[in-house]
Amino acid sequence: MNKILLLIFSLFISFNLFAQNEIEMADTLRSNGKIFTVVAVCLTILLGLFLYVFMIDRKINKFEKEINKK
Amino acid sequence: MKNYWWKILSFILLVYTIVAGFLLKVPRLPILNETIRNLYFHVCMWMGMMILFSVSVVYSIKYLRNFNYKNDVFAVNFAAVGSLFGILGYLTGFLWVNVTWITDQGQSLASVLKEPKLIGAAIALLIYGAYFVLRGSFNDIDKRARISAVYNIFAFCMLFPSIWIIPRLVGSLHPGAPGSDSGNPALDRKDLDSSMRMVFYPAIIGWTLLGVWIATLKIRLQLLKDKNIIHE
């Protein structure tokens, strides 16, 4: 009997957990729009990295053409 | 356009990853909180690593079939970029551990270090580290290519047991542990929120293509360097 009571009680606890939606997320960061700064920074880094890789790609292209001409 | 469309695709997918990855809704989960977005970055490093290692082992097998030196160059450079992804995955994992398992779950550093997936991933990366040590210890090019191709197959066979199978058998803090309800969020569609899947899968493709791009650059450079020893 005790075990069953405990089980029911624990079910209520888990229901409670489901009911509350107070898990902390970065809502302020989103609501005041500062998240866009983060996105912009990451995009800039990504763009820079890709440009860099692209330049290396072009340089190797040039070398390949030069060497294959010989 | 024929040859470089996938490079543009990689860029577009990664831009999408960052924009959608930071801005789209994610499930509100305890402990993880906002860090769940690391799925698009940390987990993708490991996925990319596995794909690159798989490509590497295919070229190793191809080398053993026809002993074409080019295949060896492909194998080693894909393995190198794969290892880079693995190291990045490890480093980002350290940061993630700090704010979730250690701080929020109140686990001590010692218990986190016993995490089988950390040990398994370290073993896998060290095995690949030994691949490069092995390669460096040969002066003879043919011998180096042949033995390291065989070793690469061995390393690949150790990869999946040590990073997937053993951690899931013995229980791990990572998702997919036996007895937990976390399921298999990396691969099972039902275990990952659909809004996250929309970013996660493109992110894997984007990061992997970037890795492939870097690998092909290294390959082309080495092929140019070794032009005199390749007989077409």
Side-chain angles (χ1 to χ4, degrees), chain A residues 34-48:
Chain A
K34 281 187 180 155
I35 185 74
F36 293 111
T37 321
V38 179
V39 174
V41 166
C42 288
L43 284 180
T44 314
I45 292 174
L46 191 74
L47 189 73

Side-chain angles (χ1 to χ4, degrees), chain A residues 21 23-27 30 35-36 39 42-43 46-47 50 53-54 56-57 60-61 63-64 67-68, chain B residues 7 10-11 14-15 18-19 22-23 26-30 33-34 37 210 213 217 220-221 224 227:
Chain A
N21 195 13
I23 289 160
E24 199 183 323
M25 301 291 260
D27 291 320
R30 260 154 239 295
I35 185 74
F36 293 111
V39 174
C42 288
L43 284 180
L46 191 74
L47 189 73
F50 267 87
V53 177
F54 176 72
I56 299 173
D57 197 320
I60 294 177
N61 250 336
F63 280 137
E64 273 176 344
I67 289 177
N68 287 332
Chain B
K7 293 168 185 173
S10 162
F11 180 66
L14 286 180
V15 166
I18 286 176
V19 173
F22 282 129
L23 297 178
V26 291
R28 291 172 170 260
L29 295 174
N33 306 63
E34 201 77 59
R37 291 174 196 277
L210 177 62
W213 190 1
L217 290 180
R220 284 161 66 191
L221 209 58
L224 284 180
K227 193 150 177 50

Side-chain angles (χ1 to χ4, degrees), chain B:
Chain B
M1 196 65 199
K2 235 192 298 174
N3 294 326
Y4 58 85
W5 60 269
W6 54 274
K7 293 168 185 173
I8 300 167
L9 179 71
S10 162
F11 180 66
I12 293 168
L13 285 176
L14 286 180
V15 166
Y16 169 74
T17 301
I18 286 176
V19 173
F22 282 129
L23 297 178
L24 281 189
K25 263 196 157 48
V26 291
R28 291 172 170 260
L29 295 174
I31 300 168
L32 279 173
N33 306 63
E34 201 77 59
T35 67
I36 196 167
R37 291 174 196 277
N38 271 354
L39 180 81
Y40 311 136
F41 305 98
H42 164 78
V43 183
C44 291
M45 287 297 116
W46 294 108
M47 296 286 163
M49 179 197 79
M50 286 187 290
I51 295 169
L52 291 168
F53 280 165
S54 306
V55 174
S56 167
V57 82
V58 167
Y59 278 107
S60 277
I61 293 168
K62 274 176 92 172
Y63 175 79
L64 290 174
R65 285 172 64 94
N66 56 18
F67 298 114
N68 183 347
Y69 178 69
K70 259 187 175 176
N71 287 329
D72 182 56
V73 174
F74 273 76
V76 64
N77 284 308
F78 275 111
V81 180
S83 304
L84 171 72
F85 271 38
I87 292 165
L88 288 176
Y90 221 93
L91 292 175
T92 49
F94 282 147
L95 299 174
W96 204 0
V97 157
N98 260 329
V99 295
T100 49
W101 294 339
I102 291 179
T103 317
D104 259 23
Q105 278 191 344
Q107 309 221 34
S108 66
L109 183 65
S111 74
V112 170
L113 286 178
K114 281 183 209 145
E115 155 74 15
K117 206 139 180 164
L118 286 191
I119 300 169
I123 291 171
L125 286 178
L126 285 173
I127 288 175
Y128 272 93
Y131 171 70
F132 298 106
V133 174
L134 183 73
R135 290 187 66 86
S137 60
F138 286 104
N139 288 324
D140 183 88
I141 292 169
D142 289 321
K143 205 187 256 179
R144 175 176 69 197
R146 207 175 288 204
I147 293 176
S148 62
V150 175
Y151 182 83
N152 194 15
I153 295 170
F154 161 75
F156 187 73
C157 293
M158 283 300 292
L159 176 69
F160 287 88
S162 59
I163 64 173
W164 285 112
I165 300 172
I166 293 170
R168 291 200 170 183
L169 283 177
V170 299
S172 148
L173 292 163
H174 277 89
S180 78
D181 56 358
S182 54
N184 187 355
L187 299 167
D188 192 334
R189 291 178 41 220
K190 279 176 243 137
D191 289 332
L192 182 63
D193 191 78
S194 58
S195 67
M196 294 199 77
R197 255 186 287 137
M198 262 169 45
V199 185
F200 181 48
Y201 295 154
I204 294 175
I205 299 169
W207 287 114
T208 307
L209 285 179
L210 177 62
V212 172
W213 190 1
I214 296 170
T216 53
L217 290 180
K218 283 165 66 80
I219 290 162
R220 284 161 66 191
L221 209 58
Q222 197 174 341
L223 287 178
L224 284 180
K225 225 171 69 186
D226 297 345
K227 193 150 177 50
N228 51 339
I229 52 170
I230 301 169
H231 307 293
E232 289 292 329

